[in-house]
Amino acid sequence: MSGLESVNQIDISSLKVACKDCNLYQLCLPLGLENDDLERLDSIIKRRRPVKRHAYLYQAGDAMRSIYAVRSGSFKSFTLTDDGTEQITGFSLPGELIGLDAISTGQHISTSKALEMSHVCEIPFEKLEELSSVIPGLQRQLLRIMSKEIAHDQSAILLSKKSAEERLACFIMSLANRFEARGFSSREIHLTMSRVEIASYLGLAVETVSRVFSRFQQDGIMSVNRRAIEIKDMDEVHNLAGAKPSSR
Amino acid sequence: MSGLESVNQIDISSLKVACKDCNLYQLCLPLGLENDDLERLDSIIKRRRPVKRHAYLYQAGDAMRSIYAVRSGSFKSFTLTDDGTEQITGFSLPGELIGLDAISTGQHISTSKALEMSHVCEIPFEKLEELSSVIPGLQRQLLRIMSKEIAHDQSAILLSKKSAEERLACFIMSLANRFEARGFSSREIHLTMSRVEIASYLGLAVETVSRVFSRFQQDGIMSVNRRAIEIKDMDEVHNLAGAKPSSR
DNA sequence: ATTATTTATTGATATAGGTCATTCATGGAT
DNA sequence: ATCCATGAATGACCTATATCAATAAATAAT
């Protein structure tokens, strides 16, 4: 297979899938839309483009013109400290929208970077706003998605009150749930992010993340082989994740 | 002044202020709306009601029918652990909307409780949704407010990566900024929440919050007298808040 | 294939912040 | 005015997790 053919294949696979044929339909923005409405939404989606591993979707400070729906792959969102350290605020999976935090200021406040070869649908925000005032179902779904993001972020705020074990269990649990909703196994998880990235997101040291993974494995809760996780005792992960920090 | 008159007064002060006469106009939902549109929004706001100190606006599990705009006073949002400990996820000041996290599920996932005698405007969500598909400016503003909430929550996620001093500085800084936007002093702050509540929000022990406040006072950064804070060195608070956790 | 580089694990030690205990202040109730 | 209950501050001590250091395993580069 030549390089050129390969490029064509990518174009085909990434450009030709309309919302109505997308398997993420019921997780993504088009949920609830039918026929005409769906096609109108489809028509404003400027292009479905591939994003290479480690490529930026946008950077903090960029003007926000579009939001993005992840079609395949995964992304991390982060800000940088003065000394250049990444502060990861979240990970995005297929069907999730990226860039919603920038609507209010019109400028991206965080940077979004692909963790692996990924594809996104670019949705020009101005057109989306216009369209959603004409299509009630679209407005509805946009509000619901944003509300879900708020709810998710608030549960992430609770992380700062939890122990290292609880944090990691919450993280794995969240991934398992999200994978399951996407039709993947919730037991076997392939992590696309490094230990450093997990640690940054959870507010822990890398070494602590490693150690807690090892402990989980020793306790038979999950098997851990670098980025391949297999959850053996889902109930226990659930318990650990749900277990709230001790009170006095 | 008799009790009855007092009640009437409350009714007058809380019921008679239309959005167009509200001093929170430019911070709240009506921003950008004019004349007719503004009055239409005003007409769906079911009632402006007083909420006594320690009274609930809603509780986790309640069906979400309305969202609320704080007119005066302040609120805390929290969930409970198994053992009944409050996990505070945020505080709400005048002009801010409460309940946005419940749109996605239609059920409140957290409880909202007044920290002091407060007033809210109750906005039936169904009607708001209808109205915002007719009034583009309203849709716009609703999206902007939700986006701002997402951005704010994401900055709160960063707390779990910070030291106790940084967390408290961030907290004070956020309050100062929000008060300033509301036309209050950003230097002299009256905290309406207890040390326990601050500690819960920041994921620290009460004692740590006390100690850090004392340290801030010793260092001449602020004067602290129970709930009365006076910021002496705003730059230093800013530095501490902005100072990102050390990297290796 | 071989070497270099990144990523992950594990151990030893240090420390920030938690926990327990006591005292002091404050504001509401009697 | 006095008492009581609650909230806040401070000290002594301990523990969870960070930091430093070394090694191993897995990719990437030559």
Side-chain angles (χ1 to χ4, degrees):
Chain A
M1 190 191 293
S2 82
L4 190 59
E5 275 165 7
S6 168
V7 165
N8 281 340
Q9 278 206 333
I10 287 173
D11 285 353
I12 289 166
S13 69
S14 58
L15 285 173
K16 284 242 174 125
V17 180
C19 286
K20 69 176 165 55
D21 301 319
C22 178
N23 56 346
L24 297 163
Y25 169 86
Q26 71 280 18
L27 280 161
C28 194
L29 202 49
L31 173 62
L33 301 189
E34 294 175 2
N35 311 324
D36 279 9
D37 290 345
L38 190 50
E39 276 185 32
R40 276 201 282 180
L41 171 59
D42 215 89
S43 72
I44 70 160
I45 297 181
K46 238 172 34 186
R47 51 200 170 121
R48 300 176 173 75
R49 60 179 169 93
V51 187
K52 286 207 194 79
R53 181 171 142 92
H54 294 165
Y56 295 100
L57 196 52
Y58 53 75
Q59 289 188 260
D62 288 357
M64 192 283 278
R65 301 227 164 67
S66 299
I67 60 173
Y68 302 86
V70 182
R71 248 199 68 59
S72 67
S74 50
F75 290 82
K76 62 174 172 182
S77 296
F78 60 91
T79 56
L80 292 177
T81 61
D82 311 324
D83 59 13
T85 316
E86 284 181 9
Q87 306 273 109
I88 296 183
T89 53
F91 300 103
S92 304
L93 300 183
E96 293 174 346
L97 261 42
I98 308 183
L100 296 172
D101 55 344
I103 294 172
S104 115
T105 59
Q107 275 205 326
H108 288 289
I109 53 179
S110 57
T111 299
S112 179
K113 197 171 180 179
L115 291 170
E116 61 190 312
M117 177 63 195
S118 303
H119 291 264
V120 295
C121 301
E122 181 174 346
I123 309 163
F125 183 67
E126 222 169 86
K127 288 182 180 170
L128 177 62
E129 230 177 0
E130 281 170 29
L131 206 57
S132 59
S133 65
V134 188
I135 306 174
L138 182 58
Q139 186 201 38
R140 223 181 124 82
Q141 180 60 2
L142 185 54
L143 290 179
R144 265 152 195 66
I145 287 175
M146 293 188 73
S147 168
K148 196 173 179 182
E149 172 85 31
I150 292 172
H152 178 265
D153 288 349
Q154 282 180 2
S155 75
I157 291 173
L158 298 176
L159 284 179
S160 75
K161 300 156 180 70
K162 297 184 193 242
S163 70
E165 282 192 357
E166 286 164 348
R167 290 183 200 200
L168 194 58
C170 279
F171 173 70
I172 295 296
M173 201 67 222
S174 166
L175 284 183
N177 290 153
R178 286 150 79 193
F179 278 128
E180 189 163 41
R182 279 149 190 83
F184 299 114
S185 166
S186 64
R187 279 186 57 255
E188 291 180 51
I189 297 176
H190 173 75
L191 302 175
T192 58
M193 64 291 290
S194 69
R195 296 290 190 267
V196 175
E197 287 160 340
I198 296 172
S200 168
Y201 177 64
L202 297 177
L204 298 171
V206 209
E207 295 92 330
T208 305
V209 173
S210 256
R211 276 187 257 265
V212 175
F213 265 134
S214 299
R215 217 176 306 156
F216 282 170
Q217 170 144 280
Q218 275 164 28
D219 298 350
I221 297 168
M222 55 184 75
S223 87
V224 182
N225 194 298
R226 304 206 108 225
R227 299 189 175 191
I229 308 288
E230 189 187 341
I231 301 176
K232 304 280 193 186
D233 187 347
M234 189 65 86
D235 287 350
E236 189 54 26
V237 178
H238 210 106
N239 282 345
L240 282 168
K244 307 299 166 45
S246 66
S247 67
R248 289 222 255 148
Chain B
M1 188 193 294
S2 81
L4 191 59
E5 276 165 7
S6 167
V7 167
N8 280 341
Q9 277 206 332
I10 287 173
D11 283 356
I12 288 165
S13 69
S14 58
L15 285 173
K16 282 240 175 125
V17 179
C19 287
K20 69 175 166 54
D21 300 319
C22 178
N23 56 346
L24 296 164
Y25 169 88
Q26 72 280 19
L27 281 161
C28 193
L29 201 48
L31 174 62
L33 301 190
E34 294 174 3
N35 310 325
D36 279 10
D37 289 347
L38 190 50
E39 275 184 32
R40 276 200 284 180
L41 171 59
D42 215 89
S43 71
I44 69 160
I45 297 182
K46 237 171 32 186
R47 50 198 170 124
R48 299 174 173 77
R49 60 178 169 92
V51 187
K52 286 207 195 78
R53 182 173 142 92
H54 293 165
Y56 296 100
L57 196 52
Y58 54 74
Q59 298 201 46
D62 289 357
M64 191 284 277
R65 301 227 164 67
S66 300
I67 60 173
Y68 301 87
V70 182
R71 248 199 69 58
S72 67
S74 50
F75 290 81
K76 63 175 172 182
S77 295
F78 60 90
T79 56
L80 293 178
T81 60
D82 310 325
D83 59 14
T85 315
E86 284 181 9
Q87 306 273 110
I88 295 183
T89 52
F91 300 104
S92 303
L93 300 183
E96 293 174 346
L97 261 42
I98 309 183
L100 296 173
D101 55 344
I103 294 172
S104 117
T105 60
Q107 276 205 326
H108 287 290
I109 53 178
S110 56
T111 299
S112 179
K113 198 172 181 179
L115 291 170
E116 61 191 311
M117 177 62 197
S118 303
H119 290 266
V120 295
C121 301
E122 181 175 343
I123 309 163
F125 183 68
E126 222 169 86
K127 287 181 182 169
L128 177 62
E129 228 177 1
E130 281 169 29
L131 206 56
S132 60
S133 66
V134 188
I135 306 174
L138 182 57
Q139 186 201 39
R140 223 180 124 82
Q141 180 60 2
L142 185 54
L143 290 178
R144 265 153 195 65
I145 287 175
M146 293 189 72
S147 168
K148 197 174 179 182
E149 171 86 30
I150 292 173
H152 178 265
D153 288 349
Q154 282 180 3
S155 74
I157 291 174
L158 297 177
L159 283 180
S160 75
K161 299 156 181 69
K162 296 184 192 246
S163 71
E165 284 192 357
E166 287 164 347
R167 289 183 202 201
L168 194 58
C170 280
F171 174 70
I172 295 294
M173 200 67 222
S174 167
L175 285 183
N177 290 153
R178 285 150 80 193
F179 278 128
E180 189 161 43
R182 279 148 191 83
F184 298 113
S185 166
S186 64
R187 280 186 56 254
E188 290 179 50
I189 296 176
H190 173 75
L191 302 175
T192 58
M193 64 291 288
S194 68
R195 296 288 190 270
V196 175
E197 287 161 339
I198 297 172
S200 168
Y201 177 63
L202 296 177
L204 298 171
V206 208
E207 295 91 331
T208 305
V209 173
S210 259
R211 276 188 257 265
V212 175
F213 265 134
S214 300
R215 216 178 305 157
F216 282 170
Q217 170 145 278
Q218 277 163 26
D219 298 350
I221 297 168
M222 54 183 78
S223 87
V224 182
N225 194 298
R226 304 203 107 226
R227 298 189 176 192
I229 309 288
E230 190 188 339
I231 300 176
K232 305 279 193 186
D233 187 346
M234 188 64 87
D235 287 350
E236 189 55 26
V237 177
H238 210 107
N239 282 346
L240 282 168
K244 306 299 168 41
S246 65
S247 67
R248 291 222 256 146

